[in-house]
Short mmCIF file of all heavy atoms in Angstrom, two decimals:
data_model
loop_
_atom_site.label_atom_id
_atom_site.label_comp_id
_atom_site.label_asym_id
_atom_site.label_seq_id
_atom_site.Cartn_x
_atom_site.Cartn_y
_atom_site.Cartn_z
N GLU B 324 43.57 42.13 67.97
CA GLU B 324 42.11 42.02 68.10
C GLU B 324 41.35 42.90 67.11
O GLU B 324 40.26 42.63 66.74
CB GLU B 324 41.66 42.38 69.55
CG GLU B 324 42.22 41.49 70.61
CD GLU B 324 41.66 40.07 70.61
OE1 GLU B 324 40.91 39.72 69.70
OE2 GLU B 324 41.97 39.35 71.51
N GLN B 325 42.04 43.92 66.67
CA GLN B 325 41.38 44.83 65.71
C GLN B 325 41.62 44.36 64.28
O GLN B 325 41.33 45.09 63.32
CB GLN B 325 41.91 46.27 65.89
CG GLN B 325 41.45 46.90 67.19
CD GLN B 325 39.92 46.94 67.34
OE1 GLN B 325 39.24 47.45 66.46
NE2 GLN B 325 39.44 46.42 68.44
N GLY B 326 42.25 43.20 64.17
CA GLY B 326 42.38 42.59 62.82
C GLY B 326 43.67 42.95 62.12
O GLY B 326 43.91 42.57 60.97
N PHE B 327 44.58 43.68 62.80
CA PHE B 327 45.91 43.86 62.22
C PHE B 327 46.81 42.65 62.46
O PHE B 327 46.53 41.82 63.28
CB PHE B 327 46.57 45.04 62.96
CG PHE B 327 45.98 46.44 62.67
CD1 PHE B 327 45.22 46.99 63.69
CD2 PHE B 327 46.17 47.06 61.42
CE1 PHE B 327 44.66 48.30 63.42
CE2 PHE B 327 45.63 48.28 61.20
CZ PHE B 327 44.84 48.90 62.19
N ASN B 328 47.84 42.54 61.67
CA ASN B 328 48.97 41.67 62.09
C ASN B 328 49.75 42.43 63.08
O ASN B 328 49.96 43.62 62.98
CB ASN B 328 49.80 41.27 60.88
CG ASN B 328 49.04 40.47 59.88
OD1 ASN B 328 48.38 39.48 60.27
ND2 ASN B 328 49.06 40.86 58.64
N SER B 329 50.27 41.69 64.10
CA SER B 329 51.16 42.35 65.04
C SER B 329 52.21 41.40 65.56
O SER B 329 52.03 40.19 65.51
CB SER B 329 50.36 42.95 66.21
OG SER B 329 49.82 41.98 66.97
N SER B 330 53.35 41.94 65.96
CA SER B 330 54.40 41.13 66.54
C SER B 330 54.95 41.86 67.73
O SER B 330 54.90 43.10 67.84
CB SER B 330 55.47 40.86 65.51
OG SER B 330 56.22 42.04 65.23
N TRP B 331 55.45 41.09 68.65
CA TRP B 331 56.06 41.64 69.90
C TRP B 331 57.26 40.74 70.25
O TRP B 331 57.09 39.55 70.27
CB TRP B 331 54.98 41.60 71.00
CG TRP B 331 55.50 42.01 72.39
CD1 TRP B 331 55.59 43.21 72.94
CD2 TRP B 331 56.07 41.12 73.39
NE1 TRP B 331 56.09 43.18 74.18
CE2 TRP B 331 56.36 41.91 74.48
CE3 TRP B 331 56.31 39.73 73.46
CZ2 TRP B 331 56.95 41.38 75.68
CZ3 TRP B 331 56.82 39.23 74.62
CH2 TRP B 331 57.16 40.08 75.70
N ILE B 332 58.38 41.37 70.40
CA ILE B 332 59.52 40.51 70.84
C ILE B 332 60.32 41.33 71.86
O ILE B 332 60.70 42.46 71.65
CB ILE B 332 60.32 40.07 69.56
CG1 ILE B 332 61.39 39.03 69.98
CG2 ILE B 332 61.02 41.20 68.88
CD1 ILE B 332 62.00 38.37 68.78
N PRO B 333 60.62 40.71 73.00
CA PRO B 333 61.31 41.42 74.05
C PRO B 333 62.88 41.26 73.94
O PRO B 333 63.30 40.31 73.31
CB PRO B 333 60.83 40.72 75.31
CG PRO B 333 60.63 39.30 74.89
CD PRO B 333 60.24 39.34 73.44
N SER B 334 63.51 42.09 74.67
CA SER B 334 64.93 41.90 74.85
C SER B 334 65.28 42.37 76.26
O SER B 334 64.79 43.47 76.60
CB SER B 334 65.72 42.73 73.81
OG SER B 334 67.07 42.64 74.10
N TYR B 335 65.96 41.58 77.03
CA TYR B 335 66.19 41.96 78.40
C TYR B 335 67.64 42.30 78.59
O TYR B 335 68.54 41.77 77.97
CB TYR B 335 65.90 40.75 79.26
CG TYR B 335 64.53 40.21 79.19
CD1 TYR B 335 64.23 39.15 78.34
CD2 TYR B 335 63.46 40.73 79.93
CE1 TYR B 335 62.94 38.66 78.23
CE2 TYR B 335 62.19 40.26 79.81
CZ TYR B 335 61.93 39.18 78.97
OH TYR B 335 60.64 38.70 78.85
N GLY B 336 67.85 43.13 79.56
CA GLY B 336 69.21 43.33 80.01
C GLY B 336 69.54 42.20 80.95
O GLY B 336 68.78 41.24 81.12
N PRO B 337 70.77 42.21 81.52
CA PRO B 337 71.18 41.15 82.41
C PRO B 337 70.28 40.89 83.63
O PRO B 337 70.14 39.76 84.05
CB PRO B 337 72.62 41.51 82.84
CG PRO B 337 72.94 42.80 82.19
CD PRO B 337 71.77 43.26 81.35
N GLU B 338 69.65 41.95 84.12
CA GLU B 338 68.79 41.77 85.25
C GLU B 338 67.34 42.07 84.76
O GLU B 338 67.11 42.92 84.00
CB GLU B 338 69.09 42.69 86.40
CG GLU B 338 70.57 42.83 86.72
CD GLU B 338 71.15 44.12 86.11
OE1 GLU B 338 71.01 45.11 86.80
OE2 GLU B 338 71.53 44.13 84.99
N MET B 339 66.35 41.41 85.36
CA MET B 339 65.00 41.64 85.03
C MET B 339 64.58 42.99 85.54
O MET B 339 63.80 43.75 84.96
CB MET B 339 64.09 40.60 85.61
CG MET B 339 64.18 39.24 84.89
SD MET B 339 63.43 39.35 83.25
CE MET B 339 61.68 39.12 83.71
N ARG B 340 65.02 43.37 86.73
CA ARG B 340 64.62 44.63 87.29
C ARG B 340 65.90 45.47 87.31
O ARG B 340 66.96 44.99 87.80
CB ARG B 340 64.07 44.41 88.69
CG ARG B 340 62.65 44.85 88.79
CD ARG B 340 61.96 44.33 89.96
NE ARG B 340 60.82 43.51 89.53
CZ ARG B 340 59.66 44.02 89.08
NH1 ARG B 340 59.52 45.32 88.91
NH2 ARG B 340 58.72 43.23 88.70
N GLY B 341 65.82 46.71 86.94
CA GLY B 341 66.98 47.55 87.05
C GLY B 341 67.74 47.59 85.71
O GLY B 341 68.10 48.69 85.30
N GLY B 342 67.94 46.49 85.08
CA GLY B 342 68.67 46.53 83.79
C GLY B 342 67.81 47.15 82.70
O GLY B 342 66.60 47.37 82.86
N THR B 343 68.36 47.47 81.58
CA THR B 343 67.58 48.00 80.51
C THR B 343 66.75 46.94 79.87
O THR B 343 67.20 45.85 79.62
CB THR B 343 68.50 48.65 79.47
OG1 THR B 343 69.22 49.64 80.10
CG2 THR B 343 67.72 49.26 78.32
N ALA B 344 65.46 47.26 79.62
CA ALA B 344 64.60 46.27 78.93
C ALA B 344 64.05 46.99 77.71
O ALA B 344 63.78 48.20 77.74
CB ALA B 344 63.49 45.84 79.80
N TYR B 345 63.92 46.27 76.67
CA TYR B 345 63.21 46.90 75.48
C TYR B 345 62.50 45.85 74.75
O TYR B 345 62.73 44.69 74.92
CB TYR B 345 64.12 47.77 74.69
CG TYR B 345 65.35 47.15 74.12
CD1 TYR B 345 65.35 46.54 72.84
CD2 TYR B 345 66.52 47.21 74.77
CE1 TYR B 345 66.45 46.00 72.30
CE2 TYR B 345 67.70 46.64 74.25
CZ TYR B 345 67.66 46.05 72.99
OH TYR B 345 68.78 45.49 72.48
N CYS B 346 61.55 46.27 73.94
CA CYS B 346 60.84 45.38 73.11
C CYS B 346 60.51 46.02 71.78
O CYS B 346 60.44 47.27 71.68
CB CYS B 346 59.54 44.86 73.77
SG CYS B 346 58.31 46.05 74.08
N PHE B 347 60.28 45.19 70.79
CA PHE B 347 59.94 45.63 69.49
C PHE B 347 58.52 45.22 69.18
O PHE B 347 58.11 44.15 69.52
CB PHE B 347 60.80 44.99 68.38
CG PHE B 347 62.25 45.16 68.58
CD1 PHE B 347 63.11 44.04 68.79
CD2 PHE B 347 62.86 46.38 68.49
CE1 PHE B 347 64.47 44.17 68.97
CE2 PHE B 347 64.29 46.55 68.63
CZ PHE B 347 65.03 45.44 68.84
N VAL B 348 57.78 46.17 68.61
CA VAL B 348 56.42 45.84 68.19
C VAL B 348 56.18 46.27 66.80
O VAL B 348 56.66 47.37 66.41
CB VAL B 348 55.39 46.58 69.13
CG1 VAL B 348 53.99 46.43 68.62
CG2 VAL B 348 55.46 46.06 70.58
N ASN B 349 55.52 45.42 66.04
CA ASN B 349 55.12 45.86 64.67
C ASN B 349 53.59 45.74 64.63
O ASN B 349 53.02 44.74 65.12
CB ASN B 349 55.69 44.93 63.66
CG ASN B 349 57.12 45.16 63.37
OD1 ASN B 349 57.53 46.14 62.75
ND2 ASN B 349 57.99 44.24 63.89
N ILE B 350 53.00 46.67 64.04
CA ILE B 350 51.53 46.62 63.75
C ILE B 350 51.35 46.90 62.27
O ILE B 350 51.91 47.89 61.75
CB ILE B 350 50.75 47.67 64.58
CG1 ILE B 350 50.93 47.36 66.08
CG2 ILE B 350 49.28 47.67 64.16
CD1 ILE B 350 50.25 48.36 66.98
#
Side-chain angles (χ1 to χ4, degrees):
Chain B
E324 298 292 6
Q325 292 301 306
F327 292 105
N328 293 310
S329 66
S330 67
W331 172 90
I332 190 170
S334 172
Y335 303 93
E338 320 98 89
M339 286 289 280
R340 244 163 240 286
T343 301
Y345 55 91
C346 66
F347 304 116
V348 173
N349 285 287
I350 296 177

